[in-house]
Amino acid sequence: MSFTVLSRSLLFPFAVTTLLAGPAFAADFRLIDFGAPCDQIVKQEAESGAEAYEGKLPSGYQFAFRVRELDRDALAVYACDGGKLFRSGYIFEAKDEADATMLYARIKKRVSRERGKPSYDFASTAHRKKMSDAGATLSPVDTMVAFWDGKTSEAHASVAEPSKDRGWRVSLSYTANSHVKE
């Protein structure tokens, strides 16, 4: 299994919430809060039973672990700046476009329940008009991207089509507001 993660400029940032795991999660993503020392990540993931990912790390991440989330295999990924956690997320592989679309819809519904309406939704009429006015033709996958603002973080969900050595991918990510660039 090989994963590549895009930077925010390419629509892939990360942030913080209790979104997917329910009450067993820490105040932030999975086991560790933003700003916490990154040297805690390996120990805490190991204690939770997560398995270190041995493949090529997703771009921009120092840590990746094989986990189960939403009844699927996934990677939990973490990025640090100055030894402190600022970005985290999940990366899911999907069987095909239909599976990716279904998983994205499930994630979007869940994040919207936690954070409210997306602050920017590529499926919105406004975004589709903006792209159409610019002469762009959007595929269904091009509209499966959304951002949600939060008190301490920005959430982001997206779908990526197959590329090179990987198949369909659905991502849910969180970036501490201190690292969100406009």
Side-chain angles (χ1 to χ4, degrees), residues 72-90:
R72 292 175 171 261
D73 291 333
L75 286 185
V77 293
Y78 298 90
C80 303
D81 182 16
K84 305 286 185 187
L85 180 67
F86 78 92
R87 180 176 290 156
S88 54
Y90 290 112

Side-chain angles (χ1 to χ4, degrees), residues 23-159:
F25 275 20
D28 288 339
F29 176 84
R30 289 186 58 79
L31 306 168
I32 187 169
D33 295 333
F34 285 140
C38 284
D39 59 9
Q40 296 176 13
I41 295 171
V42 173
K43 178 183 178 218
Q44 289 182 350
E45 283 288 359
E47 288 173 355
S48 77
E51 181 181 316
Y53 178 65
E54 298 296 331
K56 179 182 173 191
L57 287 174
S59 178
Y61 295 93
Q62 291 83 27
F63 304 96
F65 301 88
R66 292 183 185 280
V67 298
R68 289 283 298 168
E69 194 57 54
L70 294 173
D71 297 322
R72 292 175 171 261
D73 291 333
L75 286 185
V77 293
Y78 298 90
C80 303
D81 182 16
K84 305 286 185 187
L85 180 67
F86 78 92
R87 180 176 290 156
S88 54
Y90 290 112
I91 302 170
F92 301 90
E93 286 191 5
K95 294 180 288 197
D96 52 29
E97 184 175 2
D99 185 42
T101 299
M102 183 275 312
L103 180 57
Y104 174 79
R106 186 175 173 197
I107 289 170
K108 186 176 178 184
K109 181 178 179 182
R110 203 156 186 183
V111 177
S112 293
R113 207 171 36 239
E114 292 287 329
R115 291 185 174 227
K117 183 179 172 184
S119 54
Y120 198 81
D121 188 348
F122 285 41
S124 70
T125 302
H127 178 74
R128 289 193 320 271
K129 180 177 179 352
K130 178 181 170 181
M131 294 294 102
S132 175
D133 290 351
T137 303
L138 299 176
S139 73
V141 173
D142 292 333
T143 64
M144 287 188 264
V145 178
F147 292 88
W148 293 262
D149 293 333
K151 291 178 186 175
T152 61
S153 64
E154 175 184 80
H156 170 256
S158 65
V159 172

